[in-house]
Amino acid sequence: MAVQTLTGFSLVSLLSFGYMSWDWMKPSVLGDSPGDEPSKLHAPPPSSRPPHIIFILTDDQGYHDIGYHGSDIQTPTLDRLAAEGVKLENYYVQPICTPSRSQLITGRYQIHTGLQHSIIRPRQPNCLPLHQVTLPQKLQEAGYATHMVGKWHLGFYKKECLPTRRGFDTFLGSLTGNVDYYNYDNCDGPGVCGFDLHEGENVAWDLAGKYSTILYSQRVSHILAAHNPQQPIFIYISFQAVHTPLQSPREYIYQYRNMGNVARRKYAAMVTCMDAAVKNITRALKKYGYYDNSVIIFSSDNGGQTFSGGSNWPLRGRKGTYWEGGIRSLGFVHSPLIKKKRRSSRTLMHITDWYPTLVKLAGGNISDTEDLDGYDMWPSISEGKESARTEILHNIDPLYNLARSGSMEEGQGIWNTAIQASIRVKDFKLITGDPGYSDWIPPQTLTNFPGTWWNLERHTDGARKSVWLFNITADPYERIDLSAQKPEVVKELLARIAFYNRTAIPVRYPNEDPRGNPELNGGAWGPWASEEDDEDEENWIRGGHIKSANKKKKCKICKLKTFFRKLNTRLMSNRI
């Protein structure tokens, strides 16, 4: 462990010095509002310099779970930032983690990265395609310092897949999809558990015990303090919050003590803690001279998980579905550089749009980046101009469960409607196959869970259908299926799905590799393959076998490490 700590010692390690002495609740750190003006380092006028870009991505935050959407959850910082900027009220992401993140980082639909099915599992030999140039790489070309803090979830089976190899100068965070907020353990099935907090390309054992939302916010503040604001900086803050497990510092639980639903209570506390973290980041931007020339972007990665405290009300569906509750996201942009502030934008926008938008805003070049699916949205965001985007391919997933009632005949000979797919073209949205759980679920504030409200708004015709059509502009809650009344529109949208499908690359969803088990890798999740293993990897992907000679000996001290790490965490953290 001592060797791991020393090898991880770097400039970023120096920045982390003093974490435990940072007073998170101190008023002078948090301030009273994003509008407060602490003392700051004055920089040259911002007009001649590329803007600093702060991209904040939350995990599983539902459409209803922000104050300005009428939530019972307190988010004063996010509400103020959104009110002073531009709220994105026709903004879409993907229904689950990896797909949204991959499209943000590449500017391409899932069908063009091979990641159109599910997520990247911890033991899968899979990651973001290495030949595609990422958003942070393009920003590096434009002269930006690039930093990532938080959840990666884009694959890590070999070192070439890691954030620090994909365009980020520094990285502090987790590689897998969900970890404990305090001890950073993650289990991928019974008995397959490991530690997942990394500093650069090293395991950050010494940082266990600090609640991740607070740890990540403090890291951003330290990065800003150490950086020269005259050089543009891109910070991608990918909060673990508010994904399960539902854990929050005790002080945030108290204000929601009257919420009868325990899951909703804990979830609400996690959202409010995250709001305080954003407040801390905003204060740091002002204190260290970045704010006047900054662009702050806020987005959720997908809809809320209603079984775990989230709410997408009044939208239909939940995380993991192609109903609006799974893919219509919270989003806003806050920046002194916006020309038309304090408004809501109804312009159709997708998470792939951030790639060209931010590269062009940074003064970078996208002409050499072929086949992007995103559009430059800055004129629309800043000035309210019309955008070129008129449609969004939500996805085509040929590996998802086929709908029993679907067929080529149902798809008018154009498309097999048994296949899960969804597309939005102007006002209309078409869904084929199995779109996922389809109920409308009011906020989970009642004690009797899953009673009382549970059977409200239940929809049961999904098993008998394989095609749905909605006018989302007129019917954003997807209550009126128009597929029978407008067959010509259905036909047109089916043709668009078929067109996109002809451009798709094969799905990459390999079998799990037993070499990825943390017990074989020192007790932590991390890369296990190398370039020398390429032939074996290809054999595994095709369903072959890994040579026994390539397997590492079982780690004899992993269980002991885990025991002491958990014991240390219990002593250090005030845990719910």
Side-chain angles (χ1 to χ4, degrees):
M1 186 179 298
V3 173
Q4 290 169 324
T5 303
L6 288 173
T7 56
F9 196 77
S10 62
L11 172 61
V12 180
S13 299
L14 289 171
L15 292 178
S16 67
F17 182 76
Y19 270 177
M20 299 308 169
S21 64
W22 184 287
D23 190 345
W24 172 250
M25 297 303 293
K26 195 173 181 179
S28 62
V29 173
L30 291 178
D32 296 324
S33 77
D36 289 344
E37 287 289 344
S39 60
K40 61 184 181 182
L41 304 176
H42 293 285
S47 57
S48 61
R49 295 180 289 118
H52 306 297
I53 301 170
I54 311 298
F55 197 106
I56 302 171
L57 188 70
T58 59
D59 200 339
D60 290 4
Q61 186 177 359
Y63 180 83
H64 184 70
D65 298 329
I66 196 166
Y68 66 80
H69 279 173
S71 179
D72 52 345
I73 299 176
Q74 300 301 308
T75 56
T77 301
L78 299 179
D79 294 345
R80 291 190 192 101
L81 291 174
E84 295 168 3
V86 177
K87 299 173 185 174
L88 306 176
E89 297 294 358
N90 201 9
Y91 170 55
Y92 289 86
V93 294
Q94 298 308 113
I96 49 179
C97 304
T98 297
S100 284
R101 294 158 203 277
S102 70
Q103 298 193 49
L104 167 65
I105 293 294
T106 68
R108 292 173 172 86
Y109 291 142
Q110 293 164 257
I111 63 166
H112 298 145
T113 61
L115 299 174
Q116 54 266 59
H117 179 66
S118 190
I119 60 173
I120 296 178
R121 305 287 174 182
R123 288 174 286 167
Q124 278 186 316
N126 197 10
C127 71
L128 199 67
L130 297 177
H131 69 280
Q132 293 183 346
V133 179
T134 66
L135 172 60
Q137 287 172 333
K138 294 299 292 184
L139 293 176
Q140 283 180 331
E141 291 176 8
Y144 275 69
T146 59
H147 303 269
M148 180 179 172
V149 179
K151 172 179 168 178
W152 177 238
H153 207 187
L154 289 174
F156 58 88
Y157 76 105
K158 57 184 179 180
K159 287 189 175 181
E160 290 77 10
C161 302
L162 296 175
T164 47
R165 307 290 180 99
R166 303 314 311 272
F168 289 103
D169 298 330
T170 69
F171 169 67
L172 173 68
S174 60
L175 299 174
T176 62
N178 65 298
V179 299
D180 186 284
Y181 281 74
Y182 290 96
N183 65 33
Y184 299 95
D185 280 347
N186 177 28
C187 293
D188 184 38
V192 186
C193 302
F195 182 77
D196 185 14
L197 182 64
H198 293 75
E199 174 93 39
E201 297 182 6
N202 300 291
V203 182
W205 301 101
D206 56 318
L207 295 180
K210 194 76 169 179
Y211 187 71
S212 71
T213 304
I214 297 175
L215 176 68
Y216 294 157
S217 172
Q218 292 174 351
R219 168 50 58 91
V220 174
S221 296
H222 282 286
I223 290 172
L224 293 171
H227 185 76
N228 182 352
Q230 294 190 47
Q231 180 195 9
I233 191 170
F234 169 58
I235 307 180
Y236 172 37
I237 307 154
S238 178
F239 282 119
Q240 175 187 352
V242 286
H243 198 290
T244 53
L246 298 179
Q247 297 169 299
S248 170
R250 189 178 299 275
E251 57 268 28
Y252 290 97
I253 289 281
Y254 183 75
Q255 64 184 295
Y256 299 109
R257 63 193 180 279
N258 293 325
M259 274 190 179
N261 185 286
V262 175
R264 182 69 173 171
R265 184 192 312 158
K266 292 181 178 180
Y267 176 94
M270 294 165 71
V271 173
T272 298
C273 181
M274 180 271 296
D275 182 86
V278 175
K279 185 176 188 178
N280 191 41
I281 292 168
T282 308
R283 292 279 298 178
L285 288 169
K286 294 185 176 183
K287 179 178 181 180
Y288 299 116
Y290 298 87
Y291 176 79
D292 290 342
N293 190 37
S294 69
V295 176
I296 303 171
I297 299 159
F298 182 87
S299 171
S300 181
D301 68 337
N302 47 247
Q305 179 52 274
T306 52
F307 287 149
S308 302
S311 175
N312 307 301
W313 183 259
L315 303 180
R316 186 178 185 176
R318 66 185 186 203
K319 172 185 177 178
T321 75
Y322 286 95
W323 304 107
E324 292 291 284
I327 58 177
R328 190 164 181 174
S329 178
L330 300 169
F332 65 79
V333 182
H334 177 96
S335 174
L337 307 179
I338 294 174
K339 294 180 180 179
K340 292 185 178 180
K341 303 180 181 67
R342 299 181 179 275
R343 61 185 180 86
S344 294
S345 171
R346 301 287 175 181
T347 300
L348 187 64
M349 187 171 178
H350 186 248
I351 194 167
T352 54
D353 295 330
W354 294 119
Y355 187 112
T357 299
L358 298 182
V359 172
K360 292 191 72 173
L361 187 62
N365 180 18
I366 60 170
S367 62
D368 59 349
T369 307
E370 298 180 353
D371 302 323
L372 290 180
D373 292 307
Y375 293 83
D376 176 13
M377 301 296 292
W378 187 249
S380 174
I381 293 169
S382 178
E383 303 173 52
K385 294 183 178 179
E386 291 188 14
S387 79
R389 181 177 285 285
T390 59
E391 66 183 42
I392 296 172
L393 177 69
H394 293 306
N395 195 27
I396 302 170
D397 185 350
L399 299 188
Y400 196 76
N401 300 330
L402 297 178
R404 295 179 181 178
S405 58
S407 65
M408 284 293 291
E409 183 180 0
E410 285 289 315
Q412 303 183 43
I414 300 171
W415 177 251
N416 183 355
T417 63
I419 297 172
Q420 186 190 65
S422 182
I423 192 169
R424 168 82 179 267
V425 179
K426 297 182 180 178
D427 294 333
F428 289 97
K429 172 183 174 183
L430 183 77
I431 304 173
T432 70
D434 179 358
Y437 188 87
S438 64
D439 290 359
W440 295 268
I441 303 176
Q444 303 172 9
T445 54
L446 301 182
T447 304
N448 188 18
F449 176 83
T452 310
W453 58 266
W454 180 243
N455 291 316
L456 295 176
E457 307 282 3
R458 171 141 293 186
H459 203 79
T460 58
D461 70 348
R464 302 188 299 271
K465 288 180 60 64
S466 64
V467 179
W468 293 261
L469 178 71
F470 301 97
N471 184 327
I472 296 298
T473 303
D475 177 27
Y477 312 138
E478 298 172 296
R479 294 181 177 274
I480 305 172
D481 178 12
L482 301 173
S483 58
Q485 293 96 307
K486 294 185 177 292
E488 73 287 352
V489 178
V490 171
K491 184 176 182 179
E492 179 184 344
L493 271 60
L494 288 172
R496 291 303 294 163
I497 290 177
F499 164 78
Y500 277 112
N501 193 54
R502 290 192 291 272
T503 72
I505 68 173
V507 178
R508 182 175 169 86
Y509 194 74
N511 294 326
E512 292 182 338
D513 186 336
R515 296 177 300 167
N517 191 324
E519 278 202 350
L520 305 177
N521 297 285
W525 292 104
W528 66 87
S530 65
E531 292 185 2
E532 288 73 24
D533 295 324
D534 282 347
E535 184 177 347
D536 285 333
E537 290 163 22
E538 291 303 317
N539 288 337
W540 182 260
I541 291 167
R542 296 190 196 102
H545 300 283
I546 300 296
K547 296 177 182 178
S548 59
N550 287 333
K551 292 186 180 181
K552 297 182 180 180
K553 292 183 179 180
K554 187 172 181 179
C555 173
K556 295 181 179 180
I557 64 170
C558 293
K559 292 183 179 179
L560 190 61
K561 276 185 178 180
T562 300
F563 170 78
F564 282 111
R565 189 168 65 250
K566 289 183 177 179
L567 178 62
N568 180 56
T569 297
R570 287 180 178 274
L571 293 173
M572 294 178 65
S573 63
N574 183 16
R575 180 173 173 177
I576 298 297

